[in-house]
């Protein structure tokens, strides 16, 4: 009998061990056959971040024994985790690894993670293995208990047995525990819905499971002062984001690497593509089929995310087609309806899944009843890409834009809470929060109907909605318009409210002139509710304020003329009311200019 059969027989002879083997996920191992050719970092790429991670793992004296790496979708987290797993294996310090996968029912929930980790640790020392087997024999239903109970029975106590025996030093027991793709832990073991659960209840169940795992690690491993170093990689979804933020479960207990913020991967992507293109050169016998400019273009389009260049390379390297022609398609591809060629189809599926899940989660909240998540998010996106041909503050801060959309304070943070793997709110040099997109390709996806499909929102819809919000903002303003202060800055409103009120007054005529007739009924209601009178009461304060309103009066009043002329055919009564105010404001402006000229 060979040595493999002898070892297997010894394992199976241990009471409880066979039952443990029925409750593990072999596909989750870093060297599993199911993960054949798993992505990992090329030689000489991601060197800085790999060094930092390995130094942290090897530092047994560090106070933080948990290492968390978060990063945008497609930033190369799994490739890094695979590389770290292989480095730890070569160094003899890998205790266990678990790679979650949303599409594999054996590793898309927490059901098998503790037994799988215990199985790998049992391979490292016979006493640990015997203790695990004894625990399972004592309680065959341990696998249906809470994660903390499983971790205590199958990891903590067996290790304590090893430590008490003094048969092996605790510093020589392999101590690195790696968990990849926490965000892909998405619920029940039989869930096969895709990368992220779309159903709101499924999403919350997934988040609960992720939180349960983090809580178990904190209480069972960190609080018990075990010598293990745990390294978790995940998109910055709700569970891990909440745990790491101030007041969170892991705040202070974890060393946090924010991959998308702190590491520029452009140089690594250059090397990645160049090596692979050179391999293709050898295969086709043509070293000049690509240029450095082609690589520059692809890396620039990637916006720092490996998934873009990996997707492009996968398309270009198709064995049964010409890489020369496929490279041309990728570099010049413009999506069209009904187009058969879709080199970035896998990216579109990723974006569709994440955005759909975020939409359902947001709109399921009672307070957001009747809100259109996609419309609001597109408005914030246009705050980055630009409101073309409309008078509105350039590059508005996220909180200012939320106020202009008549949303509550900090609404922008709630809006993107399930999109943190694609976007972030970042504080600019002026101290204001602004939306930042990790992927240029995500913006491209959102702006193309043939790619976004049911998730597409046209710019015209956003402009129409903003026009409606501007009128609502003015009507619902809490000011006493009959007794206003003499100066704009003295209005009894928070600064954000004053700033947003000024912007909606400045921008309303431009939006009314530019949008279609969908807002006409709202304009009539605005007129009947004294909206134009409120603007009339505020205009003198804006003149005194010296804002850019007064410097753009001709455009402002011209847009009102354009809209009023269009309104006359549909709602002549409302048009007549507006015309009276327009005439008054023209006369007031002429008088203001004469006063200014007389001061010179």
């Amino acid at each position: 009998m060979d040595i493999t059969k002898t070892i297997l027989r010894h394992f199976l002879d241990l009471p409880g061990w066979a039952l443990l083997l029925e409750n593990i996920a072999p596909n989750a191992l870093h060297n599993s056959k199911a993960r054949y050719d798993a992505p990992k970092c090329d030689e000489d790429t991601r060197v800085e971040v790999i060094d930092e991670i390995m130094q942290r793992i090897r530092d047994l004296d560090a106070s933080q024994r948990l290492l968390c790496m978060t990063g945008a979708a497609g930033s190369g987290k799994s490739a890094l985790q695979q590389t770290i797993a292989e480095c730890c294996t070569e160094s003899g310090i890998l205790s266990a690894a678990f790679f979650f996968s949303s599409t594999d029912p054996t590793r898309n929930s927490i059901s098998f993670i503790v037994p799988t980790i215990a199985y790998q640790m049992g391979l490292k020392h016979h006493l640990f293995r015997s203790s695990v087997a004894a625990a399972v024999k004592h309680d065959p239903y341990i696998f249906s208990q809470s994660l903390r109970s499983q971790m205590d029975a199958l990891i903590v106590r067996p290790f304590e047995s090893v430590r008490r025996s003094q048969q092996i030093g605790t510093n020589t027991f392999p101590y690195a525990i790696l968990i990849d793709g926490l965000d892909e832990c998405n619920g029940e073991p039989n869930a096969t819905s895709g990368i992220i659960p779309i159903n709101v209840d499924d999403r919350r169940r997934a988040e609960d499971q992720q939180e349960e795992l983090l809580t178990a690690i904190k209480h069972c491993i960190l609080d018990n002062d075990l010598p293990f170093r745990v390294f978790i990689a995940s998109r910055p979804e709700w569970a891990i984001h909440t745990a790491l933020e101030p007041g969170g479960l892991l705040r202070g207990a974890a060393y946090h690497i924010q991959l998308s913020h702190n590491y520029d991967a452009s140089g690594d992507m250059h090397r990645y593509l160049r090596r692979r293109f050179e391999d293709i050169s050898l295969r086709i016998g043509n070293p000049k089929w690509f240029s450095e400019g082609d690589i520059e273009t692809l890396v620039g389009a990637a916006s720092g995310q490996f998934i873009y260049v990996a997707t492009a390379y996968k398309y270009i390297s198709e064995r049964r087609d010409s890489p020369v022609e496929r490279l041309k398609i990728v570099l010049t591809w413009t999506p069209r309806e009904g187009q058969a060629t879709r080199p970035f189809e896998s990216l579109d599926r990723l974006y569709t899944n994440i955005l759909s899940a975020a939409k359902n989660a947001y709109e399921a909240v009672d307070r957001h009843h009747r809100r259109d998540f996609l419309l609001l998010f597109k408005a914030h996106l246009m705050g980055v890409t630009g409101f073309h041909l409309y008078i509105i503050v350039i590059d508005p801060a996220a909180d200012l834009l939320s106020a202009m959309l008549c949303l509550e304070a900090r609404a922008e943070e709630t809006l993107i809470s399930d999109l943190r793997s694609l976007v972030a709110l970042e504080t600019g040099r002026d101290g204001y929060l602004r939306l930042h997109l990790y992927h240029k390709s995500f913006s491209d996806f959102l702006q193309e109907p043939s790619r976004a499909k049911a998730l597409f929102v046209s710019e015209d819809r956003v402009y129409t909605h903003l026009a409606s919000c501007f009128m609502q903002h003015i009507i619902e303003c809490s000011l006493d318009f009959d007794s206003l202060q003499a100066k704009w800055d003295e209005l009894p409103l928070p600064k954000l409210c004053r700033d947003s009120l000024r912007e909606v007054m400045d921008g309303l005529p431009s939006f009314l002139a530019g949008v279609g007739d969908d807002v006409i009924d709202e304009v009539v209601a605005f007129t009947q509710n004294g909206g134009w009178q409120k603007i009339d009461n505020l205009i003198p304060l804006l003149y005194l304020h010296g804002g850019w309103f007064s410097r753009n009066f001709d455009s402002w009043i011209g847009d009102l003329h354009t809209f009023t002329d269009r309104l006359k055919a549909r709602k002549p009564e409302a048009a007549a009311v507006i015309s009276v105010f327009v005439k008054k404001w023209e006369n007031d402006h002429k008088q203001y200019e004469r006063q200014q000229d007389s001061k010179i």
Side-chain angles (χ1 to χ4, degrees):
M1 182 178 295
D2 60 38
I3 188 64
T4 302
K5 292 181 179 178
T6 301
I7 294 173
L8 180 60
R9 181 177 177 180
H10 175 68
F11 283 177
L12 295 178
D13 284 345
L14 284 174
W17 190 258
L19 184 56
L20 179 85
L21 296 181
E22 294 176 8
N23 288 275
I24 70 171
N27 289 356
L29 305 182
H30 83 281
N31 56 356
S32 165
K33 181 172 66 175
R35 301 188 66 253
Y36 168 73
D37 199 27
K40 62 179 179 179
C41 302
D42 277 13
E43 184 182 358
D44 298 330
T45 64
R46 317 308 294 267
V47 173
E48 184 181 0
V49 65
I50 290 171
D51 285 347
E52 181 176 2
I53 293 168
M54 289 304 299
Q55 287 175 14
R56 282 279 165 177
I57 290 175
R58 289 185 173 122
D59 185 3
L60 300 181
D61 296 324
S63 58
Q64 294 166 311
R65 290 175 290 112
L66 174 63
L67 175 61
C68 293
M69 177 176 67
T70 60
S75 56
K77 299 179 297 297
S78 290
L80 275 164
Q81 188 70 290
Q82 179 69 27
T83 301
I84 296 300
E86 294 182 8
C87 289
C88 290
T89 299
E90 293 173 5
S91 301
I93 62 173
L94 181 65
S95 189
F98 193 97
F99 283 73
F100 281 106
S101 172
S102 63
T103 58
D104 186 336
T106 69
R107 53 190 179 108
N108 65 0
S109 78
I110 58 175
S111 298
F112 302 128
I113 184 169
V114 173
T116 304
I117 290 175
Y119 157 75
Q120 295 172 79
M121 297 173 82
L123 301 181
K124 307 300 189 294
H125 195 274
H126 68 89
L127 182 55
F128 190 100
R129 182 167 62 251
S130 299
S131 297
V132 170
V136 175
K137 179 185 178 184
H138 173 72
D139 185 1
Y141 293 103
I142 184 64
F143 308 110
S144 62
Q145 295 178 16
S146 70
L147 218 59
R148 284 181 66 173
S149 296
Q150 291 184 51
M151 201 169 285
D152 182 62
L154 302 180
I155 295 176
V156 177
R157 293 182 189 176
F159 184 78
E160 292 293 354
S161 295
V162 173
R163 181 149 56 184
R164 286 194 303 271
S165 73
Q166 297 184 348
Q167 294 184 21
I168 183 173
T170 54
N171 289 339
T172 58
F173 193 97
Y175 53 83
I177 299 175
L178 313 181
I179 298 172
D180 181 67
L182 177 69
D183 54 281
E184 297 203 35
C185 172
N186 62 18
E188 296 300 318
N190 60 354
T192 56
S193 58
I195 296 173
I196 294 176
I198 302 298
N199 179 276
V200 174
D201 291 336
D202 289 344
R203 183 68 180 271
R204 288 172 178 163
R205 183 164 52 249
E207 292 170 349
D208 288 344
Q209 288 204 12
Q210 294 166 24
E211 184 179 31
E212 183 182 358
L213 176 56
L214 295 175
T215 301
I217 291 171
K218 170 68 165 59
H219 291 295
C220 295
I221 295 180
L222 303 184
D223 290 352
N224 277 315
D225 197 29
L226 300 183
F228 298 108
R229 291 291 180 267
V230 183
F231 177 32
I232 301 173
S234 176
R235 294 177 192 157
E237 304 295 356
W238 179 86
I240 197 162
H241 175 82
T242 303
L244 293 171
E245 67 181 0
L249 172 74
L250 302 177
R251 183 73 172 189
Y255 181 80
H256 186 194
I257 292 177
Q258 294 177 282
L259 192 60
S260 300
H261 292 72
N262 301 332
Y263 296 92
D264 182 4
S266 299
D268 291 333
M269 287 188 286
H270 273 95
R271 288 185 284 274
Y272 171 90
L273 287 175
R274 188 177 297 109
R275 284 174 178 167
R276 278 156 177 74
F277 284 2
E278 286 172 352
D279 289 342
I280 292 176
S281 297
L282 295 175
R283 176 164 62 85
I284 65 175
N286 178 9
K288 297 183 179 180
W289 72 276
F290 71 95
S291 69
E292 285 297 313
D294 297 336
I295 293 178
E296 288 282 350
T297 299
L298 291 174
V299 171
S303 302
Q305 305 307 313
F306 258 96
I307 192 172
Y308 184 93
V309 294
T311 301
Y313 169 71
K314 184 176 180 181
Y315 178 81
I316 293 166
S317 62
E318 167 58 42
R319 300 173 186 174
R320 292 171 178 82
D321 203 352
S322 164
V324 179
E325 296 304 317
R326 288 201 160 217
L327 176 60
K328 289 179 182 177
I329 289 173
V330 169
L331 293 173
T332 61
W333 182 63
T334 301
R336 297 185 300 276
E337 198 65 46
Q339 188 178 44
T341 302
R342 295 183 177 275
F344 299 107
E345 188 172 7
S346 61
L347 264 181
D348 292 352
R349 284 197 299 269
L350 173 68
Y351 296 151
T352 297
N353 198 291
I354 294 174
L355 196 60
S356 297
K359 173 185 183 298
N360 290 344
Y362 180 86
E363 294 179 357
V365 176
D366 292 344
R367 191 159 53 91
H368 302 155
H369 180 59
R370 299 183 69 180
R371 288 187 184 177
D372 188 326
F373 169 83
L374 295 173
L375 180 61
L376 295 176
F377 180 69
K378 183 63 176 284
H380 273 281
L381 174 68
M382 290 170 62
V384 178
T385 59
F387 294 94
H388 307 297
L389 304 180
Y390 290 83
I391 297 176
I392 189 171
V393 61
I394 298 173
D395 188 22
D399 56 351
L400 176 62
L401 186 53
S402 288
M404 294 162 67
L405 288 163
C406 297
L407 301 176
E408 67 279 0
R410 305 176 71 92
E412 62 280 357
E413 296 180 16
T414 305
L415 190 70
I416 70 151
S417 62
D418 290 299
L419 293 174
R420 291 191 184 94
S421 63
L422 298 174
V423 302
L425 286 170
E426 296 184 347
T427 304
R429 293 180 179 177
D430 56 5
Y432 292 107
L433 285 177
R434 285 182 169 79
L435 191 69
H436 169 70
L437 276 68
Y438 293 128
H439 306 246
K440 178 184 178 297
S441 57
F442 181 47
S443 177
D444 295 340
F445 165 82
L446 290 169
Q447 294 177 21
E448 176 50 54
S450 67
R451 297 181 66 186
K453 298 180 180 177
L455 302 177
F456 175 74
V457 175
S458 69
E459 292 191 354
D460 286 344
R461 276 193 63 202
V462 175
Y463 293 136
T464 299
H465 183 67
L466 278 167
S468 299
C469 289
F470 288 1
M471 289 185 284
Q472 178 187 345
H473 196 298
I474 294 168
I475 290 296
E476 294 181 354
C477 180
S478 60
L479 289 172
D480 180 358
F481 284 86
D482 294 327
S483 57
L484 294 174
Q485 281 70 12
K487 296 182 180 179
W488 182 266
D489 288 340
E490 294 177 358
L491 289 176
L493 293 172
K495 183 178 185 302
L496 179 62
C497 294
R498 290 200 305 271
D499 290 347
S500 60
L501 181 60
R502 186 187 67 211
E503 292 299 337
V504 301
M505 284 183 57
D506 284 353
L508 179 59
S510 171
F511 278 76
L512 291 178
V515 301
D517 293 339
D518 292 344
V519 297
I520 285 181
D521 289 341
E522 292 173 73
V523 171
V524 171
F526 180 75
T527 305
Q528 293 171 345
N529 287 315
W532 302 106
Q533 181 62 57
K534 292 183 176 182
I535 292 177
D536 184 57
N537 292 347
L538 288 168
I539 281 179
L541 278 71
L542 283 176
Y543 280 131
L544 293 173
H545 183 70
W548 66 281
F549 174 86
S550 60
R551 295 194 296 273
N552 288 274
F553 182 81
D554 289 343
S555 296
W556 192 86
I557 208 75
D559 287 331
L560 277 177
H561 274 300
T562 299
F563 175 72
T564 305
D565 290 345
R566 198 174 84 225
L567 187 64
K568 288 177 182 177
R570 296 283 301 274
K571 300 290 181 180
E573 298 87 354
V577 172
I578 299 172
S579 295
V580 171
F581 280 104
V582 169
K583 186 67 175 176
K584 178 181 183 299
W585 294 332
E586 286 179 320
N587 291 332
D588 289 347
H589 186 65
K590 290 177 182 177
Q591 182 179 353
Y592 172 80
E593 288 188 321
R594 285 195 295 269
Q595 291 173 349
Q596 296 300 111
D597 291 342
S598 66
K599 294 178 181 179
I600 299 174

